[in-house]
Amino acid sequence: MTRVSRSLFGDLDVEVELDAPIGVRSWFCAGGRADFLVKPRTPDALAELLRRCRQVDTPVRIMGEGANLLVDDDGVSGIVVRLDDPAFRRIEHNVDGQLELVRVGAGADLARTLMDFARGGIAGLESLMGVPASIGGAVRMNAGGVYGEIGNAVHAVACLDAGGENRVYTADELRFDYRSTNIVDPIILWAVFRVTQENPVTLRERIKEIAAYKKRTQPLGEKSAGCMYRNPIDPATGERVSAGQIIDEAGLKGLRHGSATVSTRHANFFTVERNGRARDAIELGDLVRAKILDARGIELRREVVVWDRSNPGGIEDA
Ligand SMILES: Cc1cc2nc3c(=O)[nH]c(=O)nc-3n(C[C@H](O)[C@H](O)[C@H](O)COP(=O)(O)OP(=O)(O)OC[C@H]3O[C@@H](n4cnc5c(N)ncnc54)[C@H](O)[C@@H]3O)c2cc1C
């Protein structure tokens, strides 16, 4: 375990929780603890924390809503940051005097933001209805689905690099691909979205339609982190194919390992029962991956980010 000294943050404007149970606060509702959960109250405090952590080689991870995260049962060493303070959740309209630009803090809840937008007749994020996320986590993962992805609406993104320096990416510097971006900095601070004005009634109808689709097709009431695997490229056709469909066709719906199950509603959702083990979901994932490689010659890559003590990032390349 990395030894973390309190001198890293003792004099900073931050709230600190020791031995914080972050696994049970993720959407999987399973997994271990963080040595320190740090909630900065200002961007300056966060920048200074990053600077100090880099100097002494202490790992820093950032957790959004934990909707795409699986924390190993043994937890993680070092520092986990959450942007819960209102300083990181602000929404600012008319950025640079432009009606079509809205800045949203990375800690803001995506669902609340898009519902706020909808009430004001502001369109741009509604395709993300039903995707649990913070703004930072959604940008980091380029969250989306059949109705569109968040990258389509992004105009600019501000980050802190590993040394705590600010960096703003303009639209032409950003690339959003399938569930990924070219942003390499560890912390996203805010994003500016391009929005349009729309009739709030029409907007509400569209949101209802998307919510109904999500409810019909995904096990939203169970404990999961959405799709376990990215949709892979089929080597036979060169086309991206549905990982859920491949797992379903392999007859793996309902497959169980300990407390984890391949959902019977959506085969790419792995669920964990109450008081279950994160390790069960990881091992079930490995089992499914091996079976798909054997049956179809396709190597599945995780979409869910797995954090464990040996692994500071946990993101698999697409
Ligand atoms: C029921 C359910 C349905 C889902 N449906 C969809 C769907 O339709 N489409 C889809 O794309 N996803 C879906 N997901 C997955 C999840 O909602 C998305 O991946 C979402 O973007 C995760 O955001 P988060 O804030 O929870 O990130 P977390 O899970 O907390 O973190 C995910 C990654 O983002 C990083 N991160 C978080 N915040 C920041 C930040 N501020 N700066 C830099 N990095 C950051 C984390 O370090 C981690 O690497 C679903 C999940 C669930 C549980």
Side-chain angles (χ1 to χ4, degrees):
M1 166 176 141
T2 314
R3 284 205 167 275
V4 178
S5 158
R6 277 159 195 271
S7 64
L8 278 176
F9 45 73
D11 60 337
L12 295 180
D13 194 7
V14 296
E15 184 189 323
V16 180
E17 193 181 332
L18 270 68
D19 198 25
I22 57 168
V24 294
R25 291 182 197 162
S26 73
W27 275 65
F28 259 119
C29 228
R33 295 168 172 266
D35 293 348
F36 292 93
L37 179 63
V38 178
K39 300 176 185 176
R41 295 197 185 92
T42 67
D44 283 350
L46 176 55
E48 182 57 25
L49 176 69
L50 290 180
R51 230 166 272 137
R52 293 179 187 180
C53 286
R54 184 153 84 165
Q55 274 165 12
V56 294
D57 216 12
T58 294
V60 180
R61 297 173 170 86
I62 179 156
M63 178 175 185
E65 293 292 321
N68 198 46
L69 206 57
L70 187 50
V71 181
D72 183 60
D73 300 298
D74 288 342
V76 291
S77 56
I79 286 174
V80 172
V81 167
R82 280 201 62 163
L83 304 182
D84 284 353
D85 193 273
F88 297 99
R89 294 173 168 237
R90 287 196 188 114
I91 300 184
E92 181 194 340
H93 293 270
N94 302 346
V95 174
D96 298 331
Q98 298 188 58
L99 259 180
E100 71 276 17
L101 297 183
V102 184
R103 186 190 334 266
V104 187
D109 181 74
L110 173 65
R112 266 189 224 131
T113 306
L114 79 86
M115 290 312 287
D116 273 5
F117 278 19
R119 274 190 288 278
I122 297 172
L125 294 183
E126 65 283 0
S127 64
L128 280 301
M129 178 63 196
V131 178
S134 63
I135 291 291
V139 170
R140 180 71 190 78
M141 301 307 301
N142 189 19
V146 292
Y147 290 91
E149 40 193 38
I150 199 164
N152 299 337
V154 172
H155 175 76
V157 174
C159 298
L160 286 174
D161 71 14
E165 296 300 318
N166 273 293
R167 159 126 206 227
V168 177
Y169 292 83
T170 56
D172 51 356
E173 293 172 301
L174 290 166
R175 215 187 59 234
F176 287 96
D177 292 318
Y178 171 67
R179 299 299 161 266
S180 66
T181 79
N182 61 338
I183 297 170
V184 291
D185 306 285
I187 309 269
I188 294 167
L189 286 176
W190 48 256
V192 173
F193 297 104
R194 275 183 310 272
V195 298
T196 53
Q197 291 294 320
E198 272 196 27
N199 181 328
V201 178
T202 318
L203 205 48
R204 243 194 335 267
E205 285 310 311
R206 185 159 163 70
I207 285 173
K208 264 201 223 155
E209 177 199 325
I210 298 171
Y213 169 82
K214 291 276 293 182
K215 206 167 162 196
R216 231 178 18 251
T217 55
Q218 299 181 352
L220 299 181
E222 294 174 62
K223 298 184 189 336
S224 80
C227 289
M228 179 62 112
Y229 290 110
R230 298 164 189 270
N231 292 332
I233 306 282
D234 186 338
T237 62
E239 301 285 318
R240 206 172 276 286
V241 287
S242 157
Q245 193 179 330
I246 292 173
I247 298 170
D248 190 2
E249 285 169 2
L252 301 177
K253 265 186 174 173
L255 182 67
R256 200 179 161 85
H257 174 76
S259 57
T261 307
V262 176
S263 166
T264 50
R265 175 160 318 182
H266 188 310
N268 201 12
F269 276 54
F270 289 32
T271 61
V272 175
E273 67 192 31
R274 184 179 282 276
N275 300 322
R277 286 183 349 133
R279 200 75 54 82
D280 288 341
I282 295 169
E283 287 168 3
L284 179 63
D286 291 345
L287 203 65
V288 166
R289 179 157 31 193
K291 282 180 186 286
I292 297 301
L293 185 61
D294 192 40
R296 300 284 295 264
I298 294 176
E299 187 147 4
L300 294 174
R301 302 230 167 257
R302 269 195 213 118
E303 183 171 320
V304 166
V305 175
V306 176
W307 282 354
D308 61 39
R309 286 192 176 265
S310 65
N311 177 0
I315 295 185
E316 286 194 354
D317 292 331

